[in-house]
Every structure is written in C-alpha cells, then in structure tokens.
Amino acid sequence: MKKTAIRYVSTLCVALAASLPAFAAESLLRSDLAAAGIDPASARAVPLRFTRTGPLDITDIPVDDAELPFTEAQRIVTRQRTERPWGAHVKWFGAEAVNKGDVILVQYWLRSVPLRDGLDTRPSAAFYLKEGQARGRNLARGRQALEGEWVRTLRHAVMQHDTDDWWLEFHLGAKSQELDLAGLTVLNLGPDVDTEKLPRTTISLEYEGREADAAWRKAARERIRELRMSDLTLRVVDADGNPVPNAQVEIAMTRHAFPFGTAVAAPMLVDSGGNPESNQVYREKLLEYFNMVTIQNALKAPAWRGSWSASLNREHTLRAFDWLEEQGMPIRGHTLLWSTFGYVGVTADDDFETIDRAITENIRSKLGELRGRIVDWDMHNHPIAFPAVWMHIGREHLLRYWALARELEPDARMSINEGGILPGAGRQLEAYEEHIAWLLENEAPVEAIGFMGHFSAGSVIPPEEILAKLDRFARFGLPLFISEFDISVDRNDPDEVALQADFTRDFLIACFSHPSLDTFISWNFWEGRHWKPDAAYFNLDWTLRPNGQAYLDLVFGEWWTEETGATADNGLVEFRGFLGDYKATVAAAGS
C-alpha cells in the first residue's frame, strides 16, 4: 500500500512548539524560507477573516503534542454530503490588499478523525486560493485524502491583480466526514520571488507500481496484446486475379475500435459560447485525438430545461448533435436521472406525484428528442453519492424509470455510473455493489457499469488495486467503462505534475488491459473548458501538458499500428495490429 504522507518531525519544530506556542507554525515557515535562501524578514503575515457555509459543525480542540508547532486545532464535521463539494466550505478572506505579482505562501496541517457510524469513506479536503478578478481560475489548488496523523501542506500562488478581494477555502461537502485543521499560516512574500526556491509540501507522491520495471505493467501489456490486437492478412492480386508476389504493402491505422472518448462542451461545437478561434481549435483537437464523446453538461436536466445559461439551451444542443453526427462521432448521453431535488427540479416538500412526474417528463423529453442518436446513456448517475430523491420516494420506483428508459430507447445501452469507487474505499464501493445487485435481481435493464475516476495527487492508488476493484464488479457479467477520468494536481509543483503524467499512463494501461472494460472517457481535455483546469491535457494556449503527452504516447503511439511488409509468392502478407480501421497502400513492380 502506498504511503500518502511523510510525517513532519524535527528538533526545530519541537523547540518552537515549546517556546512559541502562538506563533510556532509561522516561525517554522519563516525558518524554512531562510533555509531556502529567501529573506524571511520580507514576508508579511496576512491577517484573515473567517467565514463558513453549509452543514458544518466546528469546535476548537486542544493538541497536546510537543513535536507539533501548535496547541489548538479546529475539528470540522461535515454532517451530510452536499449537492456540490463547495456546498460545505470554510473560507478565510485576506484582510489586507495584495499587488499583482505578490507571492502568497500558505501552510496548514490536516488529519482525519476515525470514521464513525454515518460517515463516508476516508476524509478529504480540497484547497483553493482565489481572487475576485480571476473568477473561474484557481490560483492554487490541491485535494488531499487524509490520514490519521497530522500532515503538513504548503501551497503558493502568484497574484494576478492588485486587489483586496482574495481568499483561500477548503471544500468539504464531497462526503460526510470529520477532520482536524491546524497551523494555518498565510505569508505575503512580495513580488520578484523565485518560486522554484519555495519550501515544498512533505506529502509523498509515490504509489506502488509507479517504478519503471513494475511487474504489474509487464503483465498488463501482455494482456493488452492478447485482448486488443488481432492478426490481419491481406492478399494482393492483379487485374486478372492472379497473386502478386513481393508487393510492398503499408498499413496505417486510422481509428481505434476501442472508444477513447472525451467529455465535450456542446456550446464550443456550434459557436454558441466561447470565442470562434478557440472553438475551432477545440473541434480540431477533438476529432484528432478522440473517437467518442460524452455531452458534458448540456443534457443534464437543468440545462435541458434551459435554466442554466443561454449557451446551454436545447436548440444549441441539438445543433451540436448535428455537427457530431456529420463527423461520424458516437455520442454518450449524460444523464437521464440524477437523484437530487435540485437536479430533478423539485423539493423535498413536494408530494410523490409531483416528483414522479418531473422525473418521468425529463426521461420522456430527452428520449423523445434524441431516440436513435445516443449509443450509451448514463441512465442513473451518482445513485449512491446523491440518493436523496430515491431514498425519499422509495427505491422500488427506480425500477419503473429504468423500464421507461428502455421502452423509449430500445437501441442505446443503458448504464449506471458512480464516482468515488476507484479513488475511494469502503462503504461507497460496497453500497454501489449492493445497489447494482438489487437492480439486477429486480430485472432492471442495467447493461453496463461506469466508474468516474476523478483523482487528485492525494488520492491515487496502486494500479493493482484498480484492477482488483474492476475484477470485483466484473462478477456481474456486464461491460465496465471509465466514464470521467482526470487527475487534478497543483501545477505549481513539478513533483505533482510528474505524478499526474505517470498516473495517467498507468491508469490507462491498467484499464485498457482489463478484459471487461470497453470504453475510456477523459473528462474534457482543454484547460479553458475543464471543470478542473489543472487536470486538462492541453493548456489555454493549446500547448500539450505532460499528462496529455502520456495519453498520446499510449493511444497514438504504443497502441497505434503502422506496419510495412512484402507479399509472399501467393500474394499474402500478414500483420498483427490493434483493432480498428486501417488504410492500406500497395506498391508493386509494373504498377
């Protein structure tokens, strides 16, 4: 099992904790700056103003540990999962202005609290540093799955504007959980700081199986050759049907049979959002590097109802379908049912008939408009993570919605889709298993099982664990698929960037090698339209990131076939290649 953190222990830390309990964490950080060659006297401690949002309980607790530079912590309990991770968050506003180019350095310690009844899997916290003028852009970010011991973390950001509107926050609504936070320190280092010299987080970014000669990877590549490749025989004849010996034959792959797809922002496909220049490049990269799409947001119920934005309306979505079909691009539908009250468009106070009518009308409306145009529907998305509606009305009613979807769309594959299974552990995985088993026992037309695969630097797991989890669900005898892959990191940290590329490589290899897995969807690919911009394959200026290079090296390198050969006397030539479409070029003497 990987170690997710190295515990921070030093004689300096002990001495500071004993002598300066109120300022020991700040003193420790200033000492680290001095050791890195940065004048600590130039760093100003930033006063902070605290706020909180959502179902949180926060209490102060004592910390009696001489090896730590603090004597108090905040115990934070997220009482229930929120519809969005930011629905429960703690936030600190900077109480003094910053200038463009100032470097902000943040330090904090986190630890998990042992699970209690009613809590989900291992606690996690997502950190962000933002400023008002750069809304939509996170200047620093990082998500951590927490251990039972204190872990020190450092983050930094370069401010983009002169502003007094900036803050840092932790999103805590992804699950019901309990964690401790301490030692929060914010320093403004001013401008002209060499960020490469800044002290770094002590989190270990290793995982078992990352090493170059890992045995699992060799075995996976052997399975890939068996599962994803086939023999190809070509026969070259002349105009009279006679075999042509010694003809030079070149085969070049043009398209994978295996779906390597991506989520797409529908407005960019039809210029109903964004700018035309970026939209054009977006469409070109989409067609060049992917062979299936999931409509990322435009088919979600609020967008389909037209209640999200002018660019996400039904007319634009149907135009996007037209464009995709002209390109011969298969389309996945996301999603027919997401059982939160806001998504359905009802409240917990509505009666059963109102809720049932809203769900039914959403399914009927989408399938009425799109019948025959979708190859695979996420029929029920997040059934375990967001169960509020079906738990409110009774799980038995889900069987009617599955049956209705099958009745209205007999040709598309009907899939179930959930997150927190591959990067998570424990109760959510077990609940997903139980729910699928219940649906199948009650003859629901579940035809494929999806896994979202949203990772962070703090939640990667060994590839062998990924394979074991896929094995666990393969027992149902249904196809498995990756519905939403990405890995978010702190792009200011070169070690996290390297981890992102290596894990992208290893996750792809593990998944492609599994005999039950038949689709792999990356959750968008461009920073400008990615829900986690640090996870994208391409930067805003369309330069390729290391994780994007890892994707291309496999899908269009190691797993892409281009071969040459010469025909035998009988006019035959044999190749072995990855399953897909090919173009063959033949040259023979006298031709």
Side-chain angles (χ1 to χ4, degrees):
M1 178 67 68
K2 70 183 178 76
K3 292 185 179 295
T4 57
I6 298 173
R7 313 303 168 210
Y8 194 95
V9 179
S10 71
T11 55
L12 172 63
C13 185
V14 173
L16 287 171
S19 60
L20 296 171
F23 302 102
E26 180 184 328
S27 298
L28 174 61
L29 188 54
R30 290 182 182 276
S31 178
D32 286 343
L33 287 172
I38 299 172
D39 181 10
S42 65
R44 303 191 313 275
V46 178
L48 302 170
R49 179 167 54 85
F50 175 74
T51 67
R52 54 191 278 185
T53 297
L56 298 174
D57 294 327
I58 303 177
T59 56
D60 293 332
I61 62 169
V63 177
D64 184 15
D65 189 335
E67 294 184 344
L68 294 170
F70 46 83
T71 58
E72 287 188 346
Q74 287 182 309
R75 176 151 294 173
I76 305 173
V77 178
T78 305
R79 295 190 301 274
Q80 63 188 46
R81 181 172 187 153
T82 57
E83 187 166 342
R84 297 288 186 268
W86 53 89
H89 68 259
V90 290
K91 180 184 293 187
W92 290 263
F93 286 94
E96 66 177 31
V98 296
N99 297 317
K100 181 178 180 179
D102 282 354
V103 175
I104 302 298
L105 182 60
V106 181
Q107 168 187 253
Y108 55 87
W109 278 257
L110 288 169
R111 71 176 177 183
S112 69
V113 177
L115 294 175
R116 297 180 292 127
D117 288 344
L119 297 180
D120 290 338
T121 57
R122 192 164 50 136
S124 65
F127 168 87
Y128 299 86
L129 197 156
K130 304 181 180 184
E131 61 175 48
Q133 287 91 328
R135 290 194 181 278
R137 181 179 181 189
N138 301 308
L139 303 184
R141 61 167 292 151
R143 181 177 179 275
Q144 294 168 244
L146 306 183
E147 297 291 327
E149 300 178 44
W150 288 106
V151 178
R152 183 195 190 205
T153 301
L154 302 175
R155 307 282 182 190
H156 74 271
V158 179
M159 305 308 289
Q160 301 300 299
H161 300 86
D162 297 340
T163 182
D164 61 0
D165 182 21
W166 64 280
W167 65 91
L168 53 102
E169 62 189 66
F170 291 91
H171 293 175
L172 303 171
K175 57 184 75 176
S176 55
Q177 58 183 343
E178 191 167 327
L179 55 87
D180 292 339
L181 169 68
L184 179 65
T185 310
V186 180
L187 298 180
N188 186 340
L189 308 184
D192 304 321
V193 175
D194 183 355
T195 57
E196 293 298 319
K197 292 183 177 180
L198 291 176
R200 299 285 178 181
T201 294
T202 56
I203 293 176
S204 170
L205 298 176
E206 293 304 318
Y207 56 86
E208 285 185 15
R210 187 181 181 186
E211 59 275 13
D213 59 349
W216 79 267
R217 197 179 296 113
K218 180 180 179 181
R221 284 181 161 133
E222 290 175 354
R223 288 195 302 276
I224 287 170
R225 285 191 287 270
E226 295 173 2
L227 291 169
R228 311 300 184 187
M229 300 183 75
S230 182
D231 294 327
L232 171 66
T233 302
L234 292 178
R235 184 167 186 259
V236 179
V237 297
D238 61 20
D240 297 323
N242 300 312
V244 178
N246 202 35
Q248 299 302 303
V249 179
E250 176 182 314
I251 62 166
M253 198 171 187
T254 59
R255 188 182 183 93
H256 269 288
F258 187 94
F260 288 105
T262 181
V264 293
M268 297 193 71
L269 304 183
V270 293
D271 291 325
S272 65
N275 68 75
E277 182 178 348
S278 294
N279 294 350
Q280 180 60 33
V281 180
Y282 186 88
R283 291 189 290 264
E284 291 171 357
K285 299 293 186 186
L286 167 64
L287 297 178
E288 185 174 2
Y289 296 128
F290 304 97
N291 61 3
M292 176 178 277
V293 301
T294 295
I295 303 296
Q296 184 166 340
N297 289 318
L299 293 180
K300 293 176 180 177
W304 188 251
R305 292 193 298 264
S307 60
W308 267 354
S309 71
S311 65
L312 283 176
N313 63 40
R314 196 175 305 189
E315 176 189 353
H316 294 155
T317 301
L318 294 175
R319 285 173 50 210
F321 268 76
D322 293 340
W323 183 85
L324 289 166
E325 289 167 346
E326 289 171 3
Q327 315 309 314
M329 183 72 76
I331 305 170
R332 295 193 71 254
H334 178 76
T335 169
L336 290 176
L337 175 60
W338 189 332
S339 49
T340 69
F341 291 103
Y343 181 89
V344 173
V346 296
T347 72
D349 295 329
D350 287 322
D351 58 25
F352 169 77
E353 288 73 17
T354 300
I355 296 171
D356 180 64
R357 183 168 56 251
I359 295 173
T360 300
E361 287 180 354
N362 178 64
I363 294 173
R364 287 189 179 279
S365 174
K366 290 177 187 173
L367 296 184
E369 289 267 16
L370 300 171
R371 177 169 175 161
R373 306 183 76 176
I374 298 277
V375 298
D376 185 5
W377 271 104
D378 289 332
M379 162 49 206
H380 194 173
N381 193 59
H382 276 312
I384 306 305
F386 298 101
V389 171
W390 69 255
M391 291 185 71
H392 182 72
I393 65 174
R395 183 161 66 164
E396 66 275 11
H397 295 290
L398 293 179
L399 301 174
R400 291 193 298 106
Y401 305 139
W402 278 94
L404 176 64
R406 167 52 65 236
E407 174 190 343
L408 297 176
E409 175 50 281
D411 297 324
R413 185 168 80 172
M414 291 294 162
S415 302
I416 194 168
N417 189 35
E418 185 55 272
I421 306 301
L422 299 182
R427 298 173 186 173
Q428 188 148 312
L429 182 150
E430 293 165 0
Y432 195 35
E433 277 186 311
E434 186 278 331
H435 187 69
I436 293 167
W438 180 85
L439 288 170
L440 295 175
E441 288 168 3
N442 286 279
E443 300 182 350
V446 183
E447 295 173 317
I449 301 171
F451 305 88
M452 292 185 187
H454 296 300
F455 291 87
S456 68
S459 67
V460 297
I461 65 172
E464 288 183 297
E465 289 189 27
I466 293 165
L467 290 166
K469 289 182 178 182
L470 294 175
D471 283 344
R472 190 163 167 172
F473 285 85
R475 71 180 177 86
F476 290 111
L478 297 174
L480 311 180
F481 64 98
I482 303 302
S483 60
E484 307 178 15
F485 170 71
D486 54 37
I487 170 172
S488 58
V489 298
D490 180 354
R491 299 203 65 80
N492 293 317
D493 188 332
D495 292 333
E496 290 199 18
V497 171
L499 173 86
Q500 183 184 49
D502 286 354
F503 188 74
T504 297
R505 174 201 65 205
D506 287 341
F507 188 74
L508 272 162
I509 291 173
C511 291
F512 197 44
S513 77
H514 197 281
S516 294
L517 197 130
D518 70 1
T519 303
F520 189 103
I521 306 292
S522 300
W523 202 239
N524 222 309
F525 57 95
W526 180 50
E527 180 183 0
R529 292 308 293 252
H530 205 292
W531 77 308
K532 294 183 177 180
D534 293 332
Y537 293 152
F538 290 90
N539 289 307
L540 279 175
D541 63 1
W542 291 106
T543 53
L544 188 64
R545 292 176 174 174
N547 58 320
Q549 188 65 60
Y551 171 85
L552 296 185
D553 285 347
L554 290 174
V555 178
F556 295 96
E558 184 175 327
W559 302 335
W560 192 256
T561 303
E562 292 182 351
E563 297 284 352
T564 59
T567 57
D569 290 343
N570 59 2
L572 297 179
V573 60
E574 295 183 350
F575 300 98
R576 185 165 179 80
F578 285 91
L579 299 172
D581 297 337
Y582 285 82
K583 176 182 178 181
T585 303
V586 179
S591 63

